[in-house]
Structure formats: structure tokens, C-alpha cells
Amino acid sequence: MKIPDLTNYEHLIGGLCGGVTSTVVCHPFDLLKIRFSANEGSSLRPQYSSYADAVRKIVRVEGVRGLYQGWTPSLIGASLSWGLYFQWYNSLRTKIYENFSTGSKLANNLISGCISGSAIMCITNPIWLTKTRLCLQYENQQSKKYAGMMDCLKKTVKQEGFFGLYRGFVTGVIGTTHGAVQIAAYSWIIDKRCQSQGLPKDSFLSQTDYVIASSTSKVLATTITFPYQVLRTRMQDHNTDSRGVWKTTLKTIHNEGIGGLWKGCLIANVRQLPAAVVTFLTYENVKRLVGMTKQI
């Protein structure tokens, strides 16, 4: 049986596989990042002295399964987001290069990343909202408000209306700068590496090159843009009534200082660094395999 030519969807398929793989491997880190970002010291939440202490307390009450709360929407959201992001980003930047060839490549990459990310956020914000709320159902609560992803979606619409699914949307759109910085830096590093080796653009490089490019771009993007993640988490948290980007920002700074906007940044880098490496390594290798279908 002849394998169909899937090269037009190589970025989509590579991104889908990358999102799935990174979520399976790294979701517990994501759970910890969300909980530390949301923690403003309220007595409603369990207080953890460290990341290791958080793991111990969660596992003691709920078992290892407790570290995978919010796993379903995370799996769906990550695979969908990365698949569409890589597909749309590469299509858009190609069109921009064709029409504005004299412009800066880095600027074009940033623009492509922001536009692609904003479009995807319109689709996936409800998924990320359910992930956040499921991750913030604590082990010290006598009963859980949500039984799962679909139950969370239904109750959110019933109690807050349809637009309740888009709480944190503005910060999410602002957060597209994170993906834009990451993908622009990654593309720039890969392009420079191809040039230094005298290879055509988008040539398949060594695994080490992809590890260095993905880790460097991820740490840079996470650290620079992290405050949006804190604000978004707090605005989507069902345990509090944080509304409005500006109001939440001022409240955070007033109560916790400017450092409060980077709360959870360390675990975010710990979580997102391996996730980024896994995502991009999977993406590049799957994309290469899909590209081979054109030769079959």
C-alpha cells in the first residue's frame, strides 16, 4: 500500500506529536508551576515549603494520580496548540518573506508567532481554563468542585456564562509574545547553525543542535514573559475572584512585591525546559519522517 504524501502537513503532524509527548512526560511539573503561581498565601490553599514538599503532600493524599490532575485538557490543548502553531507559523512567515523580503527575519518571525498564537488562543482558551481549574483542586479540600474536563466546561458556562470560558483571554493573548519570542529565537538559532555549516535553510541538523536551540529559546522566552502566566493563572482560578489584568497586577504587586509576578518562574523553567526540548526534538524528527513520504 502506497503511503500518501503528507508533506503539506509535516508541521501540523510534528507539532501534534511534540505536544502529546511533552505533556505525557512533563505534566506534574506543570501542575506545580500552576499551584505556586496561584498561591497568594490564602488559607484556602495548602501551603508548601518547597516543590518537594508539595509532591509529598499531594502524593500522600491522592497518590501519584494527584500529580496528573488536569492532564486531559493539557493533553488536548498542548497537541492542538503545537500542531496548529507550527503549521500556521511556518505558512505565515513564508508568506511574509515572499511579500516583505527586505524586512528583518527576526521581526517577521515575531510577527508570525504573535498572529498564529493569538488565533490559536481564540480556540484553546476554554481548554486552558479547565486545565488551570482542575490543577487548582487541592488535596486539602473535602470535595472537588469539578469531576473532570467536561464537567468543568458545563459548570463554568452555567455559573459564569459562555464568556466565563474566556477568563484570562487577554493575558493569554499578551502571552503569545512568549511563543513568539521562543519560536523566533529558535528559528534564528537554527538558521544561523545551517549557515555556519553551509547547509540549505531547514536542513536536518544534529540532535544536539536542536537541544541547544530549544533550551536556549525556551529559557529566554519563559523568563522574559513569565508575569503573564502568573496573572492568567490567578484570573482563571475558581478559588478567588481576580478579574481584570490591571487590577490583578496591582493587587499582586501590592501584596507580594514585584517578585510576585515571577512566582513559580523557577519551576516553570524546570518544567518547560525539558518540555520544550521534548516538543522540538519530537517535532523535528517527526517532521523529517513525514517529509520522507514524498519520496515513497
Side-chain angles (χ1 to χ4, degrees):
M1 183 178 71
K2 184 179 179 180
I3 299 176
D5 183 356
L6 300 173
T7 51
N8 288 335
Y9 305 102
E10 60 182 4
H11 299 294
L12 175 65
I13 297 171
L16 284 169
C17 293
V20 169
T21 306
S22 64
T23 300
V24 171
V25 174
C26 302
H27 183 75
F29 294 110
D30 211 12
L31 176 91
L32 295 177
K33 184 264 291 184
I34 289 173
R35 291 198 173 185
F36 274 82
S37 294
N39 188 7
E40 75 294 89
S42 170
S43 59
L44 296 172
R45 312 176 194 276
Q47 299 301 310
Y48 308 122
S49 60
S50 65
Y51 297 125
D53 179 54
V55 172
R56 283 195 298 269
K57 288 180 177 178
I58 294 170
V59 172
R60 184 171 62 241
V61 177
E62 301 181 302
V64 176
R65 183 180 178 183
L67 297 174
Y68 281 86
Q69 288 188 94
W71 185 79
T72 300
S74 183
L75 187 66
I76 295 172
S79 58
L80 186 62
S81 294
W82 279 116
L84 292 177
Y85 193 86
F86 280 122
Q87 185 72 22
W88 292 353
Y89 166 78
N90 283 283
S91 297
L92 188 57
R93 76 167 180 159
T94 298
K95 292 184 182 299
I96 291 177
Y97 289 158
E98 290 174 351
N99 292 282
F100 303 96
S101 57
T102 58
S104 165
K105 286 187 176 182
L106 183 60
N108 289 344
N109 289 344
L110 285 170
I111 294 171
S112 300
C114 286
I115 294 175
S116 300
S118 297
I120 292 167
M121 190 57 59
C122 294
I123 300 171
T124 60
N125 196 83
I127 299 174
W128 297 128
L129 177 115
T130 61
K131 171 196 168 183
T132 297
R133 293 190 170 184
L134 290 174
C135 285
L136 293 176
Q137 295 195 121
Y138 298 103
E139 64 275 8
N140 66 341
Q141 295 174 332
Q142 293 183 349
S143 61
K144 301 290 178 69
K145 184 175 181 179
Y146 307 115
M149 178 179 173
M150 295 308 299
D151 184 55
C152 182
L153 288 170
K154 291 177 183 177
K155 287 181 178 177
T156 299
V157 172
K158 182 178 180 181
Q159 296 168 7
E160 304 172 45
F162 175 78
F163 289 106
L165 296 174
Y166 283 86
R167 286 186 69 172
F169 176 74
V170 174
T171 50
V173 171
I174 294 172
T176 59
T177 55
H178 172 102
V181 170
Q182 181 186 359
I183 196 71
Y186 178 82
S187 298
W188 183 83
I189 294 171
I190 293 300
D191 288 346
K192 289 297 182 183
R193 185 59 176 163
C194 287
Q195 289 177 16
S196 68
Q197 294 188 5
L199 297 172
K201 182 181 176 183
D202 293 331
S203 296
F204 190 76
L205 301 174
S206 71
Q207 303 300 304
T208 301
D209 288 328
Y210 293 129
V211 169
I212 293 173
S214 58
S215 57
T216 301
S217 60
K218 191 61 179 180
V219 170
L220 180 66
T222 298
T223 304
I224 291 175
T225 66
F226 190 74
Y228 98 87
Q229 296 190 46
V230 174
L231 298 175
R232 188 177 178 211
T233 295
R234 296 188 176 190
M235 290 174 67
Q236 293 182 336
D237 185 5
H238 62 282
N239 296 297
T240 63
D241 189 33
S242 295
R243 296 178 183 274
V245 178
W246 186 240
K247 181 179 178 181
T248 306
T249 302
L250 292 179
K251 183 179 178 181
T252 299
I253 294 175
H254 179 266
N255 293 334
E256 303 163 65
I258 193 70
L261 294 174
W262 273 268
K263 210 167 188 178
C265 185
L266 176 59
I267 193 63
N269 272 306
V270 170
R271 182 268 175 190
Q272 293 175 355
L273 184 55
V277 172
V278 170
T279 299
F280 279 84
L281 275 178
T282 304
Y283 162 72
E284 294 289 358
N285 284 280
V286 171
K287 185 180 72 170
R288 184 190 186 195
L289 291 174
V290 173
M292 293 170 64
T293 63
K294 190 172 185 178
Q295 304 169 14
I296 298 176

